[in-house]
Each structure stands twice: as C-alpha cells, then as structure tokens.
Amino acid sequence: MTSMSRARVARRIAAGAAYGGGGVGLAGAAAVGLLLAEVRLARRHVGNGSGGRVPVADGIYGHTYDVPGEPPLRLAVLGDSTAAGQGVHRAGQTPGALLASGLAAVAERPVELRNVAQPGAQSDDLDRQVSLTLGAPSPVPDICVIMVGANDVTHRMPPTRSVRHLSSAVRRLRTAGAEVVVGTCPDLGTIEPVQQPLRWLARRASRQLAAAQTIGAVEQGGRTVSLGDLLGPEFEANPRELFGPDNYHPSAEGYATAAMAVLPTVCAALGLWPAEEERPDVMRREGFLPVARAAAEAASEAGTEVTAAMPTGPRGPWALLKRRRRRRVPEAEPATPSA
C-alpha cells in the first residue's frame, strides 16, 4: 500500500470517528478474521496482556534537582499493558519510571509520576483513566503520555470507535491544561507466535490504526510518536533481546528503547528541548505535510513525531513531521512515594 493510499484510509477512519460513522475496515473482514484466529493462538502461548504483576512505579524521581518551594513536574501515564510496564520486574524498568527519570534530568527538576494504565485495556477504558487522572486531589498533570491500540486490533474494536475514544481522551486532557503525547499502536507483526502471511496482515492493520490515531490525536492538540516495531529496526533484528520472556510484552531493553524515542517529544511538548532542534531538518526528511500524509509516513517509521502546525491548507490541516534524535534513558532510580 502506498503512502497516499495509507493516508486516505487513515483519513476515512479519523473522519468516521469524528462524525460518528460506523466501522471502517482495517485489512478486510476476512483477513482480520484469519488474523484474530492466529492471535488467539498466540495469546494462549503468551497470555492475553492482562495477567502478571506490574511493578508500581508511582512516586517522585530526580530528588537531586530539588529546589525549595518549587513543585515537581507532574507526569501521568495512561493506556494498556505496554504503558503499565507489564513484562519487567523492577519499577525502574517501566516506561513511566524511565520517562520520569529522563524528564527530570532534562528539566533539572523533580518529576512526580502517576501511572493509571491498565493491562489488557482497550481505548474505551481511556475515559475511566482520564477521570482518574483529572479527579486526583493533586493538580492537573503537566504532561500525559498515552500508549494504547494493540488490544483494539486483537479484540476487533472498530477503528473508528477506537480513534473516537482516543480523541476524546486527548481533548479532555488538553482542555484541562495538560500537554499530551500519544505512543500510537505498536506493530503486531513483530509478535513471534504470529506467522506469515498473517504477520503481514497484522502489520498492515496496526499501521492503519496508528495513522488514524495520529490524525485524531493531533487534531485535538496532542503530539504523537510512532511506536511501530517498538521502536527501531533493531527490534526485528533482535526480538529475543527486545521482547520479554513471554515474547509478547517488551523486555526491559525494549521499554528503554521505547522511552528513548518518546522522551524527546515529551520534553519538546513542555518547551524543554533546544530551540534549534524545533526547526525542520531537511537532511532528516522533516517538514510540513497534510496531517493525513504525515500520519501515514509516521506509521511506517517508528520513532517519528507528528504535531499540529498550520490549522488548514488546500488539503485540510497540516502537521510537522519530525525524526528527533533519540537520547539514551538509563534505568530509573527508585522513586520516593508521593506525599
């Protein structure tokens, strides 16, 4: 499928989500039926994403940057098992802890993390998670990171419905005053128990949803980062290293790779990234594109950021596509419980 074709499909899904349309096919009903049969077999082998203990990583990171009277930055993480950090044993290996620790180092300020992600969650759980995030006694988070979408594909949630729930979550968080970064649907074609040709179908369905998620999130004022194959060509080259023991959830190294790709966008959303890196770099194939085309390109290349730019153009809203340089994120130090 060409970039323009992917952009058209993503635009149709996002439009259906915005205007209440019915389900728009991802990879065709028959193909999805075959894919689901294969994924069910994979789930029996690796679990369904809802079992196992997830380390609790909530707390304050970066105490070395304490300044009396200055409150910590507040980071909330929402989504599914990938956002929660299922598959690792230490809190410091979860994506939330890695992002909080990395953000503290860049901002030179402590960061308070709250993770409300739920293993096994689909996008229709985001409404509950947003309510938890905004209903807390503490102030509204400065920034929220959402990782969701894989369970929507494997549970046959219509993509228009999936994008509608995500768009609503981004809108509520942005209205409350939080910045939002969405890690879009990962590439299910990298799950080892899924065999060819269904691996190709899984990849196609995942990328179509990721592109539509990008349009929905960006139109509500969020930024997106493509999680793709969990993040970078090294994932397919070294699946044993970057997958966890169940071959379904990422390993500690996989989560570190994901956090390394998402952290620059989190920092940029808070105005903490160097100003010279905000300008499009032609040598890195960055630039302004219609949002649907930017979404389709990002879905095909893991670690690519999309953010809103000009509000409109001849072909609708435009977006800035960036390929930020990743920064190494070491395992986080243990957090101090929030007061």
Side-chain angles (χ1 to χ4, degrees):
M1 183 181 286
T2 67
S3 176
M4 294 302 293
S5 297
R6 287 194 297 269
R8 281 195 295 272
V9 172
R11 196 160 45 232
R12 284 174 53 215
I13 294 170
Y19 299 109
V24 177
L26 282 170
V32 170
L34 287 170
L35 168 63
L36 290 167
E38 188 79 6
V39 168
R40 287 190 193 101
L41 290 174
R43 277 213 210 104
R44 289 196 195 105
H45 179 68
V46 304
N48 63 6
S50 61
R53 175 185 167 275
V54 177
V56 176
D58 290 12
I60 298 177
Y61 295 80
H63 277 288
T64 55
Y65 305 108
D66 266 331
V67 175
E70 184 176 5
L73 288 169
R74 293 172 297 275
L75 165 66
V77 177
L78 305 83
D80 56 22
S81 56
T82 301
Q86 186 168 355
V88 295
H89 302 293
R90 293 197 295 273
Q93 297 172 325
T94 62
L98 293 166
L99 288 171
S101 183
L103 178 58
V106 173
E108 296 187 343
R109 199 171 151 190
V111 173
E112 182 178 359
L113 169 67
R114 187 177 186 217
N115 195 324
V116 299
Q118 178 64 45
Q122 300 174 54
S123 292
D124 56 5
D125 191 51
L126 289 177
D127 183 61
R128 180 190 66 83
Q129 295 183 26
V130 170
S131 295
L132 281 174
T133 300
L134 299 180
S138 56
V140 172
D142 295 291
I143 188 154
C144 298
V145 174
I146 303 173
M147 298 180 184
V148 76
N151 295 320
D152 296 16
V153 175
T154 60
H155 287 78
R156 301 188 74 174
M157 178 180 288
T160 49
R161 183 180 165 205
S162 174
V163 173
R164 190 177 303 131
H165 284 298
L166 176 62
S167 298
S168 174
V170 174
R171 181 170 58 251
R172 289 178 63 194
L173 293 169
R174 293 290 291 128
T175 300
E179 297 292 338
V180 180
V181 174
V182 176
T184 56
C185 181
D187 183 354
L188 297 180
T190 58
I191 298 174
E192 286 193 330
V194 178
Q195 301 300 316
Q196 295 288 17
L198 299 182
R199 196 177 277 209
W200 176 84
L201 294 171
R203 170 162 293 155
R204 183 181 175 195
S206 303
R207 288 183 176 181
Q208 286 179 359
L209 179 57
Q213 287 178 317
T214 296
I215 296 173
V218 168
E219 288 183 345
Q220 297 303 326
R223 300 182 185 220
T224 64
V225 178
S226 167
L227 293 186
D229 55 5
L230 286 181
L231 288 159
E234 67 270 41
F235 189 73
E236 280 190 310
N238 301 293
R240 295 295 182 188
E241 180 180 336
L242 293 183
F243 268 144
D246 62 6
N247 289 333
Y248 187 87
H249 294 101
S251 65
E253 183 63 28
Y255 282 128
T257 305
M260 186 167 57
V262 173
L263 179 62
T265 300
V266 167
C267 294
L270 292 171
L272 299 172
W273 220 234
E276 62 270 18
E277 291 196 23
E278 293 307 297
R279 292 189 292 271
D281 185 341
V282 176
M283 298 298 292
R284 295 172 61 82
R285 296 178 293 117
E286 298 178 345
F288 297 96
L289 295 168
V291 66
R293 186 174 160 199
E297 288 203 16
S300 300
E301 184 176 343
T304 306
E305 174 190 319
V306 179
T307 187
M310 296 167 282
T312 190
R315 286 176 283 177
W318 283 60
L320 173 60
L321 184 142
K322 288 191 69 64
R323 296 173 172 88
R324 295 188 183 274
R325 293 175 176 85
R326 302 179 193 177
R327 301 294 173 94
R328 181 67 186 172
V329 183
E331 183 176 338
E333 296 293 324
T336 300
S338 305

